[in-house]
Amino acid sequence: MAAGLAWLAGLALLHRCERLPTTPELAALALAVLLLGLLSRRHWLALAACVALLAFTQGALRAQWRMTPELHPAWEGRDLVLSGRVDSLPIAITGQGGVPGWRFEFAVESVGPAGAALPPEIPRRLMLLAYGGAQGGTAPAAAAQAFAEAPPISAGERWRFTARLKRAHGLSNPGGFDAELWLFEQGLRASGSVRPGGSERLQAAPWWEIDAARQRLRTAIRAHVADPGMAGVLAALSLGDQNAISHADWGLFRDTAVAHLLSVSGMHVTLFAWLAAALLGPLWRRSTWLCLRLPAPLAARWLGVAAALGYALFSGWGVPAQRTVVMLATVAGLQTLGLRWPWPLVLLGAAVAVTAADPWALMQPGFWLSFGAVGLLMAAGGDTSRTWRDRLAAALRTQSIATVGLAPLSLICFAQLSLVGLLANLVAIPLISFVITPLALLGGLFAPLWSLAALLMQGLMAWLRLLAAWPAAVWWLPAAPLWAQGLALLGAALMVMRLPWRLRLTGLAMTLPLLWPAVPRPPPGEFELLAPDIGQGNAVLIRTQGHALLFDTGPAYAPGADAGERVLLPLLRSQGVQRLDLLVLSHRDSDHVGGAATLMQALPVAELRSSLESGHPLLHAGPPARRCEAGQGWTWDGVRFEMLHPTPAHYEAGLKPNDLSCVLRISSASGRRALLAGDLEAEQERRLAQRHGDSPGDLHADVLLVPHHGSKTSSSAEFLAAVRPAVGIVQAGYRSRFGHPAPPVLARYQAAGIAVVSSPSCGAWRWRSDGGAASCERALSRRYWSDRVAPPIAPDEVTGPDWEGG
């Protein structure tokens, strides 16, 4: 037991490290493992320490191998000729402007001429995007559907692409999705886009390859199932192609807590293994020759594991399937050896085997949810029922145990809890696991079964939509401290075990710090500014002790995908913001209002202020709307808010949207200020400075949201002289195609002694007016897989004494 826990602890320690050990440090670790191994026979502590260091060292070596070679920043954004193999099923995507395309993994075999004496070092596996067909170009709107139905690129084919690459760099926000971790877990150390006209198919996929067979089956499903949504669900269940499910359907499955069923999960792999063993065991017994060489129960057990392995390989060898196959093989091995371990030891042994095969499984919510579910059911006791009523009651009890026991873990992993999950899973688990999934698999032999599976799935989704429409169907909670998370997990275990009710009620009390966490708020008269990492766009959250204001909502990345859903909603919920007292949209550009519609649908918004034209659809989206005008002002919790621009004359003059940007100043009781300037350009900056330059309420601010993301058309010298900020915040995309922030503008800030914080290198930036140290999310959450290379801008970013990090 101690050795197993030590193994997991060693890996957990590795995953908390900001960097990997150097070569001398690895040599020292290897020597320590050897010495502790020699002492392990004398004391169990030496054995535990030896195992923990062994786990740490081998995990570090494997991580180092996975991370090399790295793409050097000098090769980012340059045309490179890459030859290799399409290593995954292409996934249909939609780019900006509705351009259809495909995303796929690419195993690099060689790098062609790159205009240099030595070819660049390229990661072994990449994520590539091809728009408008493999040959490049933009597909006409009328051809988008045809393009999506007939991908020009197939899994298993060998291609030569001309592509532009960038490092594995993602957004970094509190409570947000860690794209860099996901890419690292998949072994993808760079991404890129295929250039128009630079593609050539070198070799078709061999017919016998698994990937080619999976591609043919997916095409057949789409041909036989008319509803694209249902075709996507069946492809996910049979092929592991989770990306085939539409974004809206995934939202429904998450809100009703059945998302775990809509992938090739551990439950499906285990069911497949059990069915294979149940079918092949009796056939094995019919042969005396086979039984004399291998007992039928033992053969059935290992044939089930082999069937699970085959199913997992055909379904794409996803991480949940890998984890389940290793777990099944471990349990089968223990039974074959005749080892009758207690259930905690069996579970721990399976966890060690899974993490030995995949050291990064510990960082995946699915690992903890699957092992947590099995552990809870084992701890709650077995099922000894005989009648059908007893079995039905046992099934309801099992589902209740899983729902109640895993609720704290779900809150920790996803910050949400579906209050209708129990009702949804009572129908979904048996229907998907025992009916729809087998029909989806058997449809490859008899296609009409796919139509039956689609019909049943449509009925299930109607039930799920009914549940999701209930008031408070989903409960969102802010992030709780680690001690509250651990206490809640222990309490959940006590609640489901066969213990006296007093102990169970104690377990319920232990979950309260997780269910009602204390949300830190600024003191009266002060405010907190949080500038998230949203890519090319603006969004700034201002919080006082009892109010929340959001200035702009970031960009729309593609049809159906925007910063409101992907960044701002998770961030607001993790910070405990349940409603917005005011939403300010500085002007109409899509990189400032792209997430507004999503936010207004998902969160209560008390008021909207903007410079949008009267016919803009966002003005009629729900909350009361007002035009922002200079002279407007209000006070929240002792913090003063003032609108400085535009004036009524500016609206009458018909200025372009950038020059109509709302400019908001926030002032704390202690005298510290922030100025949010939207996309205001140089001429209006100068006029604003003239209006406020010599007045008692001048433009001076401690923090400035750099106008227009650092564009050459903004941040005039007169404006900077009037504002005199200590820190300027640049919200821009990684390697922005607009060149933001522009080098001449950075030079202007540097000459004025103003520190510049850039979101691609800092992540989300947090600052408090009460004098607390500012922080960068990348510095707070840095791990060894995090990208450490800042985008190439000049001059180098400067930092001031008022902030820390990045």
Side-chain angles (χ1 to χ4, degrees):
M1 176 71 80
L5 292 175
W7 175 272
L8 298 180
L11 288 177
L13 178 62
L14 172 66
H15 301 330
R16 299 293 298 176
C17 291
E18 293 188 6
R19 63 172 181 85
L20 292 174
T22 61
T23 301
E25 290 169 342
L26 285 172
L29 286 170
L31 180 61
V33 169
L34 180 61
L35 293 176
L36 288 170
L38 295 175
L39 297 173
S40 61
R41 295 183 179 180
R42 298 184 179 182
H43 202 285
W44 67 270
L45 283 176
L47 174 62
C50 176
V51 172
L53 282 181
L54 178 63
F56 184 96
T57 305
Q58 64 87 29
L61 286 170
R62 294 169 68 178
Q64 188 66 54
W65 181 84
R66 177 168 287 197
M67 294 178 68
T68 53
E70 288 271 68
L71 178 68
H72 193 278
W75 292 105
E76 288 186 289
R78 298 175 61 176
D79 286 352
L80 300 174
V81 180
L82 310 174
S83 299
R85 178 181 182 275
V86 178
D87 209 30
S88 69
L89 287 180
I91 299 164
I93 59 173
T94 305
Q96 292 184 349
V99 178
W102 291 87
R103 187 180 75 221
F104 55 92
E105 297 171 16
F106 189 68
V108 178
E109 297 172 353
S110 64
V111 182
L118 295 175
E121 283 193 308
I122 299 297
R124 289 177 289 272
R125 298 182 72 246
L126 312 169
M127 179 73 77
L128 292 183
L129 297 89
Y131 290 103
Q135 303 302 323
T138 301
Q145 183 62 30
F147 175 77
E149 295 295 335
I153 302 169
S154 297
E157 294 180 336
R158 293 186 65 254
W159 280 77
R160 180 182 293 116
F161 293 117
T162 300
R164 289 185 177 177
L165 305 181
K166 69 174 184 177
R167 295 167 60 86
H169 186 98
L171 305 179
S172 180
N173 293 290
F177 174 67
D178 191 342
E180 293 172 16
L181 172 60
W182 182 84
L183 289 168
F184 174 75
E185 290 173 339
Q186 304 300 316
L188 304 168
R189 299 302 301 153
S191 62
S193 58
V194 175
R195 302 293 294 160
S199 307
E200 179 186 0
R201 183 185 281 109
L202 302 178
Q203 181 182 343
W207 66 269
W208 43 265
E209 277 201 1
I210 291 180
D211 283 341
R214 295 177 69 228
Q215 181 100 29
R216 290 194 295 270
L217 186 60
R218 187 175 73 173
T219 302
I221 291 174
R222 288 179 172 173
H224 284 86
V225 179
D227 186 338
M230 295 303 99
V233 170
L234 298 185
L237 291 173
S238 57
L239 300 172
D241 186 12
Q242 299 181 40
N243 293 281
I245 298 178
S246 70
H247 187 74
D249 288 346
W250 268 127
L252 175 65
F253 298 146
R254 284 195 304 268
D255 290 346
T256 52
V258 301
H260 63 289
L261 299 172
L262 274 298
S263 61
V264 179
S265 63
M267 179 182 296
H268 296 150
V269 175
T270 304
L271 174 64
F272 196 87
W274 178 82
L275 289 174
L279 291 174
L280 297 175
L283 296 176
W284 192 276
R285 291 187 182 92
R286 291 180 177 273
S287 172
T288 304
W289 185 84
L290 290 174
C291 288
L292 289 174
R293 281 151 182 81
L294 192 66
L298 183 61
R301 186 180 306 140
W302 285 104
L303 286 172
V305 173
L309 175 62
Y311 175 42
L313 287 171
F314 188 76
S315 62
W317 196 235
V319 172
Q322 295 177 34
R323 185 169 58 241
T324 305
V325 170
V326 173
M327 182 187 291
L328 290 173
T330 302
V331 174
L334 292 174
Q335 293 175 343
T336 301
L337 295 173
L339 300 176
R340 297 184 178 276
W341 290 356
W343 70 262
L345 202 56
V346 172
L347 201 63
L348 181 60
V352 169
V354 167
T355 53
D358 178 14
W360 303 283
L362 279 177
M363 295 182 290
Q364 299 161 5
F367 173 88
W368 298 102
L369 290 170
S370 59
F371 275 90
V374 174
L376 286 171
L377 295 177
M378 287 180 170
D383 176 21
T384 59
S385 56
R386 293 291 181 267
T387 66
W388 69 269
R389 291 182 179 179
D390 291 339
R391 291 178 179 175
L392 179 60
L396 292 173
R397 179 175 177 272
T398 298
Q399 182 59 46
S400 300
I401 288 173
T403 301
V404 174
L406 293 180
L409 195 54
S410 298
L411 281 172
I412 293 170
C413 294
F414 307 115
Q416 74 173 83
L417 179 64
S418 175
L419 301 184
V420 298
L422 178 59
L423 293 176
N425 278 284
L426 282 175
V427 178
I429 287 178
L431 187 59
I432 292 178
S433 300
F434 298 103
V435 182
I436 296 177
T437 299
L439 289 175
L441 293 170
L442 294 172
L445 302 175
F446 186 58
L449 293 178
W450 283 328
S451 300
L452 177 59
L455 183 63
L456 293 172
M457 193 66 207
Q458 287 174 334
L460 175 62
M461 291 188 68
W463 166 245
L464 297 179
R465 290 190 185 97
L466 179 64
L467 294 178
W470 288 11
V474 183
W475 194 10
W476 299 92
L477 287 176
L482 285 176
W483 66 265
Q485 297 176 11
L487 193 65
L489 293 176
L490 180 58
L494 291 176
M495 289 167 61
V496 301
M497 294 176 69
R498 295 182 183 274
L499 296 172
W501 279 103
R502 290 182 179 179
L503 287 177
R504 295 191 182 190
L505 291 177
T506 302
L508 178 61
M510 292 167 68
T511 65
L512 294 182
L514 176 69
L515 299 177
W516 282 278
V519 179
R521 301 181 185 278
E526 304 296 337
F527 66 94
E528 179 186 73
L529 182 150
L530 179 58
D533 185 8
I534 56 167
Q536 185 65 35
N538 275 157
V540 177
L541 174 65
I542 304 293
R543 290 199 304 168
T544 65
Q545 187 177 57
H547 295 79
L549 177 150
L550 185 66
F551 185 90
D552 284 340
T553 60
Y557 303 120
D562 57 63
E565 179 200 23
R566 295 194 175 181
V567 177
L568 297 177
L569 276 176
L571 182 143
L572 291 171
R573 287 163 174 163
S574 72
Q575 302 299 303
V577 177
Q578 302 294 334
R579 70 188 295 272
L580 291 174
D581 297 283
L582 179 61
L583 173 61
V584 178
L585 300 178
S586 64
H587 63 294
R588 73 184 318 276
D589 285 0
S590 63
D591 59 334
H592 294 252
V593 303
T598 299
L599 277 175
M600 289 190 285
Q601 289 175 359
L603 280 182
V605 178
E607 183 184 351
L608 169 66
R609 295 196 192 189
S610 72
S611 63
L612 302 176
E613 65 274 17
S614 59
H616 199 286
L618 288 175
L619 296 180
H620 310 286
R626 292 179 59 187
R627 194 168 74 175
C628 59
E629 290 184 0
Q632 295 173 346
W634 64 95
T635 301
W636 286 341
D637 309 312
V639 177
R640 182 64 181 168
F641 294 80
E642 300 168 275
M643 207 64 82
L644 305 183
H645 185 87
T647 65
H650 292 143
Y651 287 104
E652 295 172 4
L655 298 181
K656 62 182 182 179
N658 282 1
D659 285 334
L660 283 177
S661 291
C662 305
V663 177
L664 179 65
R665 179 171 62 192
I666 308 103
S667 305
S668 69
S670 60
R672 305 192 85 186
R673 292 175 171 178
L675 185 67
L676 311 180
D679 277 0
L680 203 66
E681 297 192 353
E683 179 60 29
Q684 293 303 322
E685 286 178 350
R686 296 187 188 99
R687 295 189 179 186
L688 181 64
Q690 291 170 2
R691 291 200 303 270
H692 294 272
D694 299 324
S695 64
D698 62 9
L699 277 186
H700 170 64
D702 300 274
V703 174
L704 170 66
L705 178 63
V706 172
H708 206 178
H709 323 285
S711 165
K712 295 179 181 179
T713 62
S714 302
S715 294
S716 60
E718 297 89 339
F719 181 70
L720 295 183
V723 179
R724 306 186 309 280
V727 182
I729 313 164
V730 176
Q731 288 184 304
Y734 178 73
R735 297 191 59 85
S736 166
R737 63 191 177 96
F738 300 103
H740 296 159
V745 173
L746 286 174
R748 202 174 301 147
Y749 277 83
Q750 188 177 41
I754 302 170
V756 176
V757 179
S758 176
S759 58
S761 56
C762 171
W765 189 74
R766 192 189 299 263
W767 178 83
R768 292 178 65 112
S769 65
D770 57 359
S775 61
C776 284
E777 182 64 22
R778 282 195 174 273
L780 297 176
S781 61
R782 180 173 293 150
R783 296 294 181 266
Y784 61 83
W785 60 80
S786 302
D787 186 30
R788 299 170 185 270
V789 177
I793 57 177
D796 293 337
E797 293 178 1
V798 293
T799 61
D802 293 335
W803 72 286
E804 298 175 352

